[in-house]
Amino acid sequence: MTGPWDEKWKVRSEFGGGGQGTTFIVSAEDTCQEAVLKILKHQDKEEARRRMFREVSSLKTLHVAGCKVPQVLDGNTEQFEDKNVPLYFVMELIKGEKLSDLLRRTQGLGLERAIGVTLDLCMTIEKALKEDVIHRGLKPDNLIVRNLESNDMVIVDYGLSFNAKEDDDVTHASETLDNKFLSLSERRVPGGNRRDARSELTGACAVLYYCITGKPPVDLVGPDGRPPHRRQGSSLREKLGEIPSVRQLEVLLDKGFSPNIDSRFQTVQELVSRIQEILHPAARVVHEDPKVV
């Protein structure tokens, strides 16, 4: 495969592929720096070309904001309107292991490690939401654990992202966004809001549950009417036993996995505070407004 990327980059091996593009491991011709080349799959489709442009724009914005995402090194996505130009971009190669591969090996992380990884993920989500960027595809295959000891996790693949600061003609409020890891009604059913930032918080709860149990939550309500963390065969109690914090975790995920998005966590800080209470229960300080009481 040849293209405009050949001027600066040499393809070493195929890295994988997704719905939006095919990726390769490449090295810079002048410095031998390794990176990831992403080539658009459907070069003739206007929407796909605009989406890749938005993906690169989101990555650049988030990297400047200090989010843990790959840095864009090269590309030509600004030429998305010219269909004669094969679109590509090159980004930083994140050294680490996919969360999905890690969990297949370990069948679940310890509680403190699972919480630490989730809090690190929440930090990136919070910074991204301040930039009005929603990933919309949070799942273990898109999360790279760069250093497990320091709970260092990087979010990759912003191909389905929505950026409120950009023109919104690429995404449609009625489009279906679903995956096998977590299915959310607001992203699946007619009339649902595919651009609701609160769905990202549900994704963070799903990652926490997955890190503990090694099982994907999939549906918020199972055939038995129970949420993922209370289903037989995949419950938190079956994995953790009767530890003191299991009840707090169950209550947290009751809220995090509520079918009604208005009943879930509404802000990143609200979710983070609840998670930290489980990690440090003695540090909890309750502040009550007398008017509310």
Side-chain angles (χ1 to χ4, degrees):
M1 180 180 294
T2 60
W5 50 87
D6 291 326
E7 295 180 13
K8 300 180 183 178
W9 305 93
K10 183 176 181 179
V11 175
R12 298 295 184 183
S13 62
E14 189 165 347
F15 191 52
Q20 307 298 316
T22 304
T23 55
F24 300 87
I25 298 293
V26 296
S27 59
E29 292 285 4
D30 52 350
T31 65
C32 295
Q33 174 190 9
E34 280 196 326
V36 176
L37 163 69
K38 186 170 184 177
I39 303 172
L40 186 64
K41 277 186 178 180
H42 306 291
Q43 295 281 359
D44 59 331
K45 294 186 177 180
E46 181 180 351
E47 182 175 327
R49 295 177 68 84
R50 287 179 176 271
R51 192 179 290 281
M52 177 170 269
F53 170 71
R54 293 293 186 262
E55 178 179 4
V56 171
S57 296
S58 293
L59 285 173
K60 288 180 177 179
T61 296
L62 296 180
H63 185 264
V64 171
C67 295
K68 291 185 178 181
V69 300
Q71 181 181 5
V72 176
L73 305 173
D74 187 24
N76 66 350
T77 55
E78 71 281 354
Q79 301 180 61
F80 68 92
E81 293 180 318
D82 185 353
K83 291 187 178 181
N84 293 317
V85 176
L87 291 192
Y88 78 97
F89 71 94
V90 178
M91 58 187 160
E92 172 189 6
L93 173 62
I94 303 298
K95 299 292 183 66
E97 187 175 16
K98 288 182 181 179
L99 183 62
S100 53
D101 294 336
L102 176 62
L103 267 292
R104 270 191 283 271
R105 288 195 298 103
T106 61
Q107 298 299 307
L109 305 178
L111 178 58
E112 287 193 15
R113 184 69 68 203
I115 287 177
V117 167
T118 305
L119 289 174
D120 191 68
L121 173 64
C122 286
M123 181 179 67
T124 293
I125 291 174
E126 184 173 35
K127 290 180 179 178
L129 293 183
K130 287 180 180 178
E131 301 298 326
D132 292 325
V133 176
I134 308 172
H135 186 280
R136 306 201 301 178
L138 291 177
K139 58 183 180 180
D141 282 344
N142 291 336
L143 301 172
I144 306 297
V145 180
R146 188 160 50 185
N147 187 324
L148 186 58
E149 293 303 312
S150 60
N151 304 318
D152 183 11
M153 190 149 67
V154 179
I155 305 178
V156 299
D157 196 351
Y158 276 78
L160 294 176
S161 64
F162 172 70
N163 188 338
K165 292 180 180 177
E166 299 281 354
D167 295 337
D168 63 0
D169 56 342
V170 177
T171 56
H172 306 288
S174 60
E175 66 187 328
T176 298
L177 296 169
D178 212 1
N179 62 62
K180 295 179 181 179
F181 175 67
L182 178 65
S183 178
L184 299 177
S185 59
E186 65 266 20
R187 290 179 171 174
R188 185 182 68 247
V189 302
N193 184 358
R194 277 70 169 161
R195 303 167 181 176
D196 197 318
R198 295 174 294 179
S199 299
E200 298 286 271
L201 310 185
T202 313
C205 290
V207 170
L208 174 60
Y209 168 76
Y210 179 74
C211 285
I212 294 171
T213 65
K215 299 178 182 294
V218 189
D219 295 310
L220 297 184
V221 180
D224 59 358
R226 296 180 180 182
H229 59 290
R230 293 184 181 275
R231 293 176 200 151
Q232 186 174 1
S234 63
S235 72
L236 290 174
R237 289 181 184 267
E238 289 172 276
K239 184 66 178 182
L240 297 175
E242 296 297 331
I243 63 172
S245 56
V246 72
R247 173 59 181 162
Q248 284 180 286
L249 272 170
E250 287 177 330
V251 173
L252 183 149
L253 291 180
D254 284 342
K255 184 177 182 69
F257 287 152
S258 172
N260 184 346
I261 194 169
D262 291 331
S263 299
R264 297 183 214 154
F265 292 102
Q266 303 297 295
T267 67
V268 178
Q269 191 52 52
E270 181 188 6
L271 172 58
V272 167
S273 295
R274 290 287 292 275
I275 294 175
Q276 288 176 334
E277 287 172 10
I278 295 172
L279 195 59
H280 306 291
R284 183 184 181 188
V285 179
V286 178
H287 298 284
E288 293 183 334
D289 184 339
K291 292 182 180 180
V292 174
V293 174

